[in-house]
Amino acid sequence: MRRGRPPKAEQPQEEVYYRLGVEGAALERAQDEQGWFVLATPVGAEGCSDTEVLQAYQEQNTTVEPGFRWIKNPAAITPVWLEKPERIATLAMLTVLGLLVYALIQRQVRLSLRHHDQQLPGNKGATAIPTAAVVLSLFVQVMMVQLEVDKMVSLQVYGLQDHHLTVCDALGIDRLWYASPPTGQNRRMSATPP
């Protein structure tokens, strides 16, 4: 192609475009394709029917069930493929134990806040009934930096605020775990709070 006006004798170049339109009716999804509901229980088929197990599960709304609702979100947990029944049972047990700890953190913090008439920062301002997810997210900004120079260990805690110590008190975690010792003091550090 040249710049400028084309000569009068030259035919203009044409580009041809095609558009395909398809009209179709939406297909109704079969009931079997709408999803699966999986429950892990130690109760065998001879002990309870599937309907009774599902009804007992749906009546649980104060212990681990709220946590299960959270992990049902496809973005919350990565798919895990387990082939052996023992491994499936182990994963189910670990999940339940984790959710029980999660529920216990939430319960203890809420009881303590109510008892002491306190509030913590929440998603939409201060709250006396934070979820465990909110409580745990508060600690994202807390950092403990450990420096070792000539066998002298220096610990510094950054981002710690009063509401973090309120949570520690509610859960029975010693506040001293987050205290910075005097600079230059030798100290062995454990990986987790006592």
Side-chain angles (χ1 to χ4, degrees):
M1 272 187 115
R2 295 184 316 239
R3 289 180 146 191
R5 187 177 215 169
K8 289 185 180 181
E10 186 178 322
Q11 290 292 326
Q13 292 182 346
E14 293 182 11
E15 291 185 27
V16 179
Y17 294 95
Y18 295 97
R19 179 177 292 177
L20 176 64
V22 178
E23 291 183 26
L27 299 176
E28 290 188 32
R29 291 176 57 187
Q31 189 173 9
D32 293 343
E33 294 177 8
Q34 291 183 5
W36 292 84
F37 198 86
V38 178
L39 292 176
T41 178
V43 179
E46 62 281 347
C48 282
S49 68
D50 291 344
T51 305
E52 291 170 327
V53 170
L54 180 60
Q55 184 177 9
Y57 166 76
Q58 290 174 336
E59 290 172 357
Q60 298 177 18
N61 57 6
T62 58
T63 54
V64 298
E65 172 54 26
F68 275 118
R69 279 189 234 128
W70 175 78
I71 67 171
K72 287 177 188 172
N73 178 345
I77 192 166
T78 305
V80 177
W81 307 106
L82 301 172
E83 295 176 4
K84 296 182 179 180
E86 307 86 47
R87 291 184 178 181
I88 295 170
T90 302
L91 179 63
M93 182 55 120
L94 290 173
T95 302
V96 169
L97 286 174
L99 291 172
L100 283 171
V101 170
Y102 191 83
L104 185 61
I105 289 171
Q106 181 172 292
R107 177 183 175 272
Q108 289 304 110
V109 169
R110 287 180 175 184
L111 285 174
S112 178
L113 291 175
R114 186 178 336 133
H115 180 72
H116 294 99
D117 195 28
Q118 296 174 315
Q119 293 187 336
L120 293 176
N123 292 334
K124 297 179 182 176
T127 180
I129 53 168
T131 63
V134 168
V135 171
L136 295 173
S137 70
L138 290 175
F139 284 84
V140 170
Q141 65 187 6
V142 178
M143 253 188 298
M144 183 177 288
V145 178
Q146 177 179 340
L147 299 172
E148 184 175 344
V149 178
D150 296 329
K151 298 190 181 193
M152 297 294 283
V153 177
S154 173
L155 297 175
Q156 297 293 319
V157 178
Y158 298 96
L160 188 68
Q161 298 179 24
D162 289 338
H163 59 264
H164 297 114
L165 299 176
T166 300
V167 171
C168 288
D169 293 342
L171 298 176
I173 297 172
D174 189 357
R175 286 176 168 224
L176 294 177
W177 198 84
Y178 287 104
S180 294
T183 305
Q185 178 178 344
N186 276 337
R187 176 178 170 190
R188 285 191 84 70
M189 165 116 178
S190 64
T192 57

